[in-house]
Amino acid sequence: MASQFGHNIRVSIFGQSHSRAIGVNIDGLPAGEAVDLEEAGRFLARRAPGKAPYATARREADAPVVLSGLVDGYTCGAPLCAIIENKDARSKDYEQLRDLPRPSHADYTAYVKYGKYHDIRGGGHFSGRLTAPLCFAGAVALQILARRGIWVGAHIAAIAGVEDAPFDPVDLTAEQLLAPGRSPFPVVEDSAGQRMREQIEQARLDQDSVGGIVECAALGVPAGLGEPMFDGLENRLAAALFGIPAVRGVEFGTGFAAAALRGSQHNDPFSQQPDGTVRTRTNHHGGILGGISSGMPILLRCAFKPTPSISQPQQTVSLSAHQDRTLVIEGRHDPCVVPRAVPCVEAAVALVLLDLIL
């Protein structure tokens, strides 16, 4: 399985949703970097389950146990390895899914690729549970980046068509960037967040689910990171972001809306600054030109599909009988994954930026 990414640092995610533990190994971190595990724990708590009506009822402490790589709170040059124990798994809820694949899940494609040997419990290695170790690695990366003047933050841009106020693409401050992440429901405008929660609750009552969009930005990224063609900054970011389950699309800057603009509307005029730097007056390019950072805020959005595990009867097939069947999914599932996905997006972006910075 391709469960690792990175060039200068190599991040490897391991485990399954219902295995004894899940974890991450980070190789290549420089020695002497302080890691605040309490701060990392607070970051992990933002994506932890069982804490809100819009999240799965599965309760996991998500307390990372560091096995190697830290001595007295500092990286020591050895790979940083941490595990997170699974303590509230209910594997019996998934027995029928070995024969009846869930629509829009990886059950069927995993069966085709791995035969009868793939772990069906909770989605196995395809589960969103694997974003917990991703977030631990991201928490470490965020701390290292902050000491280099680079900040990454995100918010819920939309859920079920209800939109939050967007980040300012040009004059975004660090305080504005990080403020949503300090809220239990990470939005810029609380009124929009309330309407989003109402949509999630209605979907839950309807035994259904909703999707949405996460907007993420990075400040302080110097110009010159990335390569043209196939190793561009967009390429690297998109590859990591698509590793988050349920991501269906990624766009940068104005994104797909640029297709409806003229060049005179989309072009970002350059401006010489008193400190000698060059900026653009607008930021339709999202801080990346030709695969290389421009020095402007990096701005991207990720689209998340509605949670495929819903309680309504759905049509599937019996893999053993080769016949159509009706499936009613049991278990505990998020009616909307977007609120818990916000720190996952931040983590993926932070890890890619740290890899490039190093």
Side-chain angles (χ1 to χ4, degrees):
M1 291 185 178
S3 305
Q4 57 186 350
F5 71 95
H7 292 63
N8 298 302
I9 59 170
R10 290 163 297 285
V11 180
S12 179
I13 306 290
F14 59 87
Q16 301 104 257
S17 180
H18 288 198
S19 59
R20 180 177 176 182
I22 51 181
V24 61
N25 191 72
I26 315 168
D27 195 3
L29 289 174
E33 293 287 351
V35 175
D36 185 336
L37 292 179
E38 290 188 2
E39 177 61 29
R42 286 190 288 271
F43 185 77
L44 278 163
R46 293 173 52 197
R47 67 118 270 141
K51 295 185 176 181
Y54 51 78
T56 172
R58 178 175 177 175
R59 291 188 175 275
E60 297 285 2
D62 283 357
V65 178
V66 176
L67 302 181
S68 66
L70 287 184
V71 176
D72 296 329
Y74 290 85
T75 56
C76 64
L80 175 56
C81 184
I83 61 169
I84 298 170
E85 293 182 287
N86 291 324
K87 295 185 176 181
D88 190 29
R90 295 181 184 175
S91 300
K92 64 180 179 63
D93 292 337
Y94 296 88
E95 287 303 319
Q96 65 173 335
L97 304 182
R98 188 168 297 283
D99 186 55
L100 304 175
R102 295 167 293 179
S104 291
H105 272 280
D107 299 346
Y108 173 68
T109 51
Y111 166 78
V112 171
K113 190 169 185 68
Y114 303 113
K116 64 180 180 180
Y117 300 104
H118 72 287
D119 187 356
I120 197 69
R121 304 167 303 165
H125 193 65
F126 298 91
S127 172
R129 180 85 185 119
L130 275 296
T131 59
L134 173 69
C135 280
F136 174 75
V140 173
L142 286 165
Q143 293 180 31
I144 297 174
L145 288 173
R147 288 193 287 271
R148 289 160 170 78
I150 298 174
W151 307 93
V152 178
H155 71 112
I156 302 170
I159 285 179
V162 178
E163 296 184 354
D164 189 22
F167 282 148
D168 187 314
V170 177
D171 296 318
L172 181 65
T173 66
E175 176 58 31
Q176 293 167 340
L177 174 70
L178 301 177
R182 301 188 183 110
S183 170
F185 198 81
V187 290
V188 175
E189 293 184 343
D190 290 339
S191 59
Q194 178 58 38
R195 295 194 302 274
M196 292 177 188
R197 289 192 291 271
E198 291 170 359
Q199 290 293 320
I200 296 172
E201 176 61 12
Q202 187 58 58
R204 187 186 69 81
L205 294 174
D206 294 338
Q207 297 184 315
D208 215 332
S209 62
V210 290
I213 299 170
V214 172
E215 182 180 49
C216 182
L219 300 179
V221 179
L225 293 184
E227 303 289 341
M229 294 292 286
F230 303 117
D231 205 20
L233 183 49
E234 295 115 324
N235 309 53
R236 299 275 293 275
L237 286 167
L241 290 165
F242 274 113
I244 302 172
V247 170
R248 301 305 298 155
V250 177
E251 65 176 6
F252 297 86
T254 304
F256 275 83
L261 301 177
R262 291 191 172 190
S264 57
Q265 297 171 306
H266 183 264
N267 289 352
D268 297 311
F270 287 108
S271 175
Q272 184 67 58
Q273 301 300 298
D275 62 2
T277 60
V278 174
R279 288 175 56 86
T280 57
R281 299 184 186 278
T282 53
N283 191 18
H284 297 293
H285 67 286
I288 305 171
L289 292 168
I292 302 170
S293 60
S294 70
M296 293 295 290
I298 291 176
L299 196 68
L300 60 90
R301 284 171 293 277
C302 294
F304 286 82
K305 67 182 179 182
T307 312
S309 288
I310 58 176
S311 299
Q312 296 181 16
Q314 299 183 79
Q315 294 305 301
T316 185
V317 296
S318 167
L319 297 173
S320 61
H322 306 288
Q323 294 178 345
D324 290 348
R325 290 284 191 270
T326 299
L327 171 67
V328 176
I329 298 174
E330 300 177 353
R332 302 162 294 175
H333 308 283
D334 299 73
C336 182
V337 302
V338 178
R340 294 175 58 214
V342 171
C344 305
V345 172
E346 294 176 6
V349 170
L351 286 164
V352 171
L353 293 178
L354 179 60
D355 188 30
L356 287 164
I357 287 289
L358 294 179

